[in-house]
Amino acid sequence: EVQLLESGGGLVQPGGSLRLSCATSGFTFNSYAMSWVRQAPGKGLEWVSGISGGGTNTDYADSVEGRFTISRDNSKNTLYLQMNSLRAEDTALYYCAKERAVSGIYFVDYWGQGTLVTVSS
Amino acid sequence: DIQMTQSPSSLSASVGDRVTFTCRASQSISNYLNWYQQKPGKAPKLLIYGASSLQSGVPSRFSGSGSGTDFTLTISSLQPEDFATYYCQQSYSTLSWTFGQGTKVEVK
């Protein structure tokens, strides 16, 4: 059974930092790209960042470029998101997402339950 | 960046209705379009991938169509468990995705 368990969320002041983790099990972690997707309270889904299975390729939404860093430890089956220079608009539920491809079409087939990040003074 | 625009933002419907909503991409994305359903307090659930392929376990009343820039999701006969918010998502840009703003289906 595939499981994605996020942790590391919490309350942080503007300008502060947090590191989110996503512990995974039930699949061959290094064979799949992973993403972080967030959802501000009462708002829609926003893709934040993605990383290839080997960790060599990454990309970021413009809204977090230069402030957030995605990484993975394939020996620990864990995905990370280092968030620096946090802003009030980064307040959201952050989902860890496992990607899958069928005939070259990529999509999320499993989601974590989310970890809440609140940026406020 | 590829922008995704969904319409309408919300709609009211009754059980048994046929409902259709749309998603438009700011540039051609071929069939790199997925649809998700989200219920309050829950993570999204994949319904359709590749514009028209039904995810395993998803009821056949859901169908998707389109290619290029214009896509539709249709529910042939709305069921009580289908009241939710639906999001489209493009995966044309590998590792750099965007979601539409969502369409909320409410009880009429």
Side-chain angles (χ1 to χ4, degrees), chain A residues 39 47 59 62 104 106 108 111, chain B residues 1 34 36 38 44 91 95-96:
Chain A
Q39 188 167 35
W47 174 83
D59 206 352
D62 290 346
Y106 282 83
V108 174
W111 300 75
Chain B
D1 291 359
N34 308 311
Y36 299 86
Q38 187 180 34
S91 59
L95 288 182
S96 183

Side-chain angles (χ1 to χ4, degrees), chain B residues 46-89:
Chain B
L46 177 71
L47 299 175
I48 302 282
Y49 64 91
S52 60
S53 296
L54 194 67
Q55 169 69 346
S56 176
V58 174
S60 59
R61 63 181 179 272
F62 291 93
S63 63
S65 64
S67 183
T69 60
D70 295 315
F71 303 87
T72 61
L73 177 68
T74 298
I75 309 173
S76 60
S77 178
L78 196 67
Q79 297 302 300
E81 60 268 31
D82 300 336
F83 291 98
T85 300
Y86 295 83
Y87 295 94
C88 63
Q89 173 241 331

Side-chain angles (χ1 to χ4, degrees), chain A residues 86-101:
Chain A
L86 283 161
R87 306 166 179 166
E89 55 265 35
D90 296 319
T91 294
L93 186 65
Y94 284 73
Y95 290 104
C96 169
K98 171 187 169 293
E99 300 180 21
R100 181 187 166 204

Side-chain angles (χ1 to χ4, degrees), chain B residues 4-7 21-25 33 35 69-72 88:
Chain B
M4 306 301 294
T5 304
Q6 290 184 241
S7 61
F21 29 91
T22 65
C23 176
R24 175 165 289 174
L33 189 285
W35 290 96
T69 60
D70 295 315
F71 303 87
T72 61
C88 63

Side-chain angles (χ1 to χ4, degrees), chain A residues 33-35 37 39 43-47 49-52 57-60 62 95 99-100 102 104-109 111-113, chain B residues 1 31-34 36 38 41-46 48-51 55 87 89-91 93-102:
Chain A
M34 301 288 295
S35 281
V37 176
Q39 188 167 35
K43 302 297 184 181
L45 301 170
E46 180 187 16
W47 174 83
S49 182
I51 186 168
S52 59
N57 296 313
T58 61
D59 206 352
Y60 300 90
D62 290 346
Y95 290 104
E99 300 180 21
R100 181 187 166 204
V102 173
I105 307 293
Y106 282 83
F107 50 85
V108 174
D109 61 347
W111 300 75
Q113 85 291 346
Chain B
D1 291 359
N31 66 332
Y32 291 79
L33 189 285
N34 308 311
Y36 299 86
Q38 187 180 34
K42 300 292 187 182
K45 170 188 172 184
L46 177 71
I48 302 282
Y49 64 91
Q55 169 69 346
Y87 295 94
Q89 173 241 331
Q90 66 81 16
S91 59
S93 303
T94 305
L95 288 182
S96 183
W97 299 348
T98 44
F99 289 89
Q101 81 279 15

